[in-house]
Amino acid sequence: MSLLPGFRYSSVAAPIPAGAERLAVDVAQQIPRRPAGVVRRRGPAYGAGLRSEVLMPAAEGRYPLVVYLPGGGFVRAPTAMARRERAFIAAAGYVVASVGYRTVREGATYTDGLADIRAAVDALTSRAAEYRIDADRIAVWGESAGGYLASMAGLTDSRLRAVVDQFGASDLSRVAEGFDAGMRAAAADPRHPIRRYGAVAANPIDLVATGAPAFLLMHGDDDRVIPPDQTLSLHHALKAAGADSTHYVITGAGHGRLARSSAQTRFWTSLPVMTTVAAFLDHHLRT
């Protein structure tokens, strides 16, 4: 199945790493589709004509900033992604900016993507009063390719106090480990987006050092796109460096919106998952 160029599912699930902590999720408990008290605004322009989408509490005040990075296999980065989840976090008292970044469609590499993310943070914080942002309290949150970039940004930009990485890769040289032969061959092909984006040569796990920000890492146990060991390995590296890191494997969940079924997708819009994200942000941006 191909939803994006170079995208496919493994016919087998990768083994679940030993020691992974599981989070029990009742998918019947779903977050609201349109929570009250949230307004949407067009974000400031930055970089090469890029623009963010901002969701924020309607009530006056200054709020911590959460920079959301959409996934899309390094091929696309649609800022409209995850509006329901972003609205839930905004309703909890955050300015949530969905930030686009250049991809392989523009001939970009990960260095361009990181530059776009830094430029977006610059643009948002330079207009902190207008967007009611507390510029001293910033987190980054991403899914899949956005999760990879969130980890990269969190480990290279000292302004970011916390990182939420949902099913992102941390060591692209092993990104298909545990999957079928077709997935391993595709990941090794120089035409694959992860190679065209230069991500194989730039791994979050290699950037972990003392002073790393707090991390929340989450992965589905039936993710057939990025194996769960990718986030768990990063978690272990962070803990070894003395960082505050939490890792959960979600039983039954797949790869976000690119899961193999809508039932697997519903785990990521469940109340247990999203309240876990909100509680993590509260702990690290409000205390």
Side-chain angles (χ1 to χ4, degrees):
M1 183 175 183
S2 179
L3 302 178
L4 294 167
F7 179 86
R8 60 188 297 161
Y9 294 114
S10 172
S11 61
V12 297
I16 303 304
E21 184 174 352
R22 290 184 178 266
L23 181 66
V25 171
D26 179 359
V27 294
Q29 300 179 52
Q30 290 286 302
I31 60 173
R33 292 193 175 275
R34 295 180 180 85
V38 174
V39 296
R40 186 172 75 189
R41 291 189 56 186
R42 194 179 189 195
Y46 59 94
L50 297 168
R51 192 178 285 271
S52 58
E53 177 184 280
V54 175
L55 299 178
M56 58 199 300
E60 290 298 319
R62 289 290 184 106
Y63 300 96
L65 171 64
V66 178
V67 176
Y68 174 80
L69 306 177
F74 304 121
V75 177
R76 53 196 296 268
T79 55
M81 180 178 281
R83 191 172 286 157
R84 180 178 178 183
E85 297 96 302
R86 289 186 284 116
F88 180 85
I89 297 300
Y94 295 89
V95 175
V96 185
S98 182
V99 167
Y101 50 86
R102 285 170 289 174
T103 68
V104 295
R105 283 184 171 177
E106 293 81 43
T109 67
Y110 76 94
T111 57
D112 301 310
L114 288 174
D116 293 337
I117 295 162
R118 285 191 292 270
V121 174
D122 289 342
L124 288 158
T125 55
S126 70
R127 296 167 65 175
E130 178 183 349
Y131 288 97
R132 296 193 271 115
I133 291 168
D134 179 347
D136 292 325
R137 300 171 186 269
I138 307 175
V140 63
W141 165 28
E143 301 180 30
S144 193
Y148 160 86
L149 285 169
S151 290
M152 291 289 289
L155 293 167
T156 56
D157 188 335
S158 61
R159 295 175 295 179
L160 306 179
R161 291 175 49 171
V163 178
V164 179
D165 176 351
Q166 293 177 317
F167 43 91
S170 66
D171 183 351
L172 281 297
S173 67
R174 302 188 302 109
V175 73
E177 198 167 273
F179 284 156
D180 62 31
M183 284 289 279
R184 296 195 301 272
D189 190 325
R191 296 169 296 179
H192 195 287
I194 65 169
R195 295 188 175 273
R196 292 163 55 200
Y197 208 57
V200 173
N203 295 302
I205 202 166
D206 296 329
L207 299 176
V208 173
T210 302
F215 270 71
L216 172 63
L217 300 136
M218 309 180 89
H219 220 119
D221 73 343
D222 195 30
D223 191 321
R224 304 292 182 96
V225 181
I226 301 290
D229 183 58
Q230 288 284 314
T231 48
L232 185 60
S233 294
L234 181 56
H235 168 67
H236 288 324
L238 288 160
K239 297 293 282 186
D244 184 327
S245 179
T246 302
H247 179 270
Y248 292 115
V249 169
I250 315 300
T251 302
H255 193 77
R257 286 154 193 77
L258 296 180
R260 294 183 303 139
S261 71
S262 59
Q264 287 188 323
T265 299
R266 282 169 55 82
F267 284 90
W268 299 105
T269 55
S270 69
L271 193 59
V273 165
M274 291 307 304
T275 53
T276 298
V277 173
F280 169 80
L281 294 171
D282 286 347
H283 181 69
H284 294 288
L285 296 186
R286 297 187 184 278
T287 59

